[in-house]
Amino acid sequence: METPLQFKDLGLDNRLLKNVKHYGFKQATEIQQKAIPLSIAGKDLLASSKTGSGKTLAFVLPMLHKSLKSKAFSAKDPRGLILAPTRELAKQVYGELRTMLGGMSYEAVLIVGGENFNDQVKALRRYPKFIVATPGRLADHLEHRSLFLDGLETLILDEADRMLDLGFEPQLRRIHRAAKHRRRQTLMFSATLDHAEVNDIAMEMLNQPKRIAVGVSNEQHQDITQRFYLCDHLDHKEAILNRILESESYRQIIIFTATRADTERLTEKMNQQKLKAVALSGELNQNQRNTIMSQFERGVFKILVTTDVASRGLDISTVTHVINFDMPKHTEEYVHRIGRTGRAGSKGDAISLVGPKDWDSFKRIEAFLARTITFSVFEGLTGKFKGIAPKKALKGKPVNKKTPLRQTKKPEKKKAPQRDKGFYQNTPVGDAVFIPRKKPVSQDDDS
């Protein structure tokens, strides 16, 4: 890698440099060094970088620089729009945007689902210059004509792969059509550039984009220790989880489960043990989610049990452990989950519990990480499950799927029983075969 650059070397407006300096940022990260100059030059970007790489400032700073240095296309329409897949990530991005707007007269609003729609309409009527939103709720405002994007200058899609995985493709296309003009700049960030749907939508929404890939997403994170434990069943998982909570020295823990029911069940059990746990899932309304996240950030709770709603956008340096009680379905989601620890140079531990139902997900993650994973063991908690062996391929000639593997002899058709010729209409006729006479053909007089 080239010599690290300072933010002052990237050509940013002095007002932005003042805010960057105020919050202690000096040296730009690799994604910031590569993305900011290209964005300032007006290029569309298709970029990928691993979690915790500083990509939020990589798109926030050039967006604000452009607004400070150029005249707005429209007096009423927003100048910049940032889309994020989840409310939690949108909230984090909004916080960083507000930080960089310090001392400026620009207004920014957060538009996400789960909050009062009419209050958001009132906020949009104040014509904010910057909007951070989830795609579903923003598309709703476009449909209700409480927002117009004809004069939008910069459209940013943060974690585009996750938005597509969550089924937001129709909303993204709707937003794109609402702001479709040749002067719009579009910056698309994704965990991977190998995502087929990301490339498809990038071809439609971006204009001759520059591609940036910083860090391989399956690289070993130097500040995170990863451990894996084999589990026989649910009770075995809970026994190992209890051992971890008893034996590990931690400040705060995030436990990821597959279902809302598991978040509530595990939280209740841990609270019975006086462990100060709280559950978070997508079924809660936005106010409830905000309250829980705020309490966890302030250290009111030591353990957060959650589904994937908290796998992205949660930046808390005091999270020392992440536990995958259930393995994630998508390999990229594993990277985002464990990225909740080991933040800002701190050390972290990522622990995964692998049962029979998790085996397929585990093998995909092992292939994604491109290394052979060895399993750890707690004394006295060794299980019987050792993994599922791959199915052996049949040797010899390839089998035609249309034919059965083994040619079985067709059962012979049963012959219909021959009629007993010794009887005719239940009357015995002896040994002679009875042959009924044919009815004589009637002849007319003309024959």
Side-chain angles (χ1 to χ4, degrees), residues 33-315:
Q33 293 177 42
K34 292 186 176 182
I36 290 175
L38 287 172
S39 301
I40 289 177
K43 304 293 183 182
D44 282 9
L45 290 186
L46 178 56
S48 72
S49 63
K50 59 185 180 182
T51 182
S53 61
K55 64 181 171 61
T56 304
L57 286 184
F59 57 72
V60 164
L61 290 174
M63 177 186 71
L64 296 181
H65 174 87
K66 183 178 181 179
S67 300
L68 290 168
K69 294 295 186 181
S70 62
K71 187 177 179 181
F73 295 161
S74 167
K76 294 183 178 180
D77 296 342
R79 303 191 69 173
L81 169 62
I82 304 172
L83 297 175
T86 65
R87 303 170 193 176
E88 283 68 32
L89 181 56
K91 184 180 177 183
Q92 180 198 324
V93 172
Y94 178 68
E96 293 199 41
L97 173 61
R98 290 287 302 272
T99 297
M100 291 299 112
L101 282 173
M104 302 179 197
S105 58
Y106 292 137
E107 184 179 357
V109 296
L110 178 66
I111 303 294
V112 297
E115 294 189 348
N116 188 281
F117 190 88
N118 291 328
D119 288 345
Q120 292 176 349
V121 171
K122 293 176 183 177
L124 291 172
R125 284 176 181 166
R126 295 196 297 268
Y127 306 124
K129 293 305 174 189
F130 302 102
I131 297 174
V132 181
T134 47
R137 177 52 66 92
L138 193 88
D140 290 342
H141 281 288
L142 289 174
E143 293 296 331
H144 285 79
R145 300 179 66 82
S146 51
L147 171 68
F148 296 91
L149 300 176
D150 302 288
L152 184 70
E153 298 170 24
T154 307
L155 173 62
I156 298 167
L157 289 82
D158 189 13
E159 301 199 359
D161 56 321
R162 180 63 170 159
M163 285 191 272
L164 293 170
D165 289 340
L166 291 173
F168 285 127
E169 182 179 350
Q171 289 83 359
L172 293 179
R173 294 186 187 278
R174 171 74 179 87
I175 294 164
H176 166 61
R177 291 193 301 269
K180 193 174 182 180
H181 57 82
R182 62 183 179 83
R183 292 189 295 172
R184 186 193 84 197
Q185 182 182 20
T186 307
L187 312 178
M188 184 179 291
F189 286 76
S190 171
T192 173
L193 299 184
D194 299 327
H195 196 293
E197 290 180 86
V198 168
N199 282 281
D200 288 343
I201 204 165
M203 290 180 64
E204 179 180 339
M205 298 179 68
L206 276 64
N207 178 29
Q208 299 180 338
K210 298 291 183 181
R211 299 172 74 94
I212 300 173
V214 175
V216 183
S217 56
N218 62 359
E219 279 183 350
Q220 176 75 34
H221 197 304
Q222 299 302 317
D223 293 325
I224 301 175
T225 301
Q226 300 178 54
R227 286 181 280 159
F228 296 81
Y229 293 87
L230 286 170
C231 307
D232 292 345
H233 40 63
L234 184 62
D235 291 340
H236 193 192
K237 278 190 176 185
E238 292 186 8
I240 291 179
L241 177 61
N242 288 335
R243 179 69 64 86
I244 293 169
L245 297 175
E246 291 170 0
S247 61
E248 299 283 328
S249 176
Y250 63 87
R251 293 179 68 184
Q252 284 187 298
I253 295 180
I254 300 178
I255 301 173
F256 287 101
T257 67
T259 65
R260 175 177 59 88
D262 278 341
T263 64
E264 295 175 349
R265 181 176 56 80
L266 291 176
T267 301
E268 184 178 353
K269 285 191 173 185
M270 285 184 282
N271 282 326
Q272 289 173 356
Q273 301 170 32
K274 311 295 184 185
L275 291 177
K276 291 186 178 180
V278 65
L280 176 70
S281 64
E283 283 74 11
L284 300 173
N285 65 46
Q286 190 59 42
N287 286 336
Q288 291 172 317
R289 288 162 72 168
N290 289 344
T291 300
I292 290 171
M293 295 302 293
S294 174
Q295 290 174 328
F296 186 67
E297 289 175 9
R298 290 184 283 113
V300 175
F301 296 100
K302 296 296 182 184
I303 302 171
L304 176 68
V305 189
T306 179
T307 54
D308 277 330
V309 296
S311 66
R312 305 186 184 211
L314 188 61
D315 189 2

Side-chain angles (χ1 to χ4, degrees), residues 14 103 302 406:
N14 286 331
K302 296 296 182 184
R406 194 178 290 175

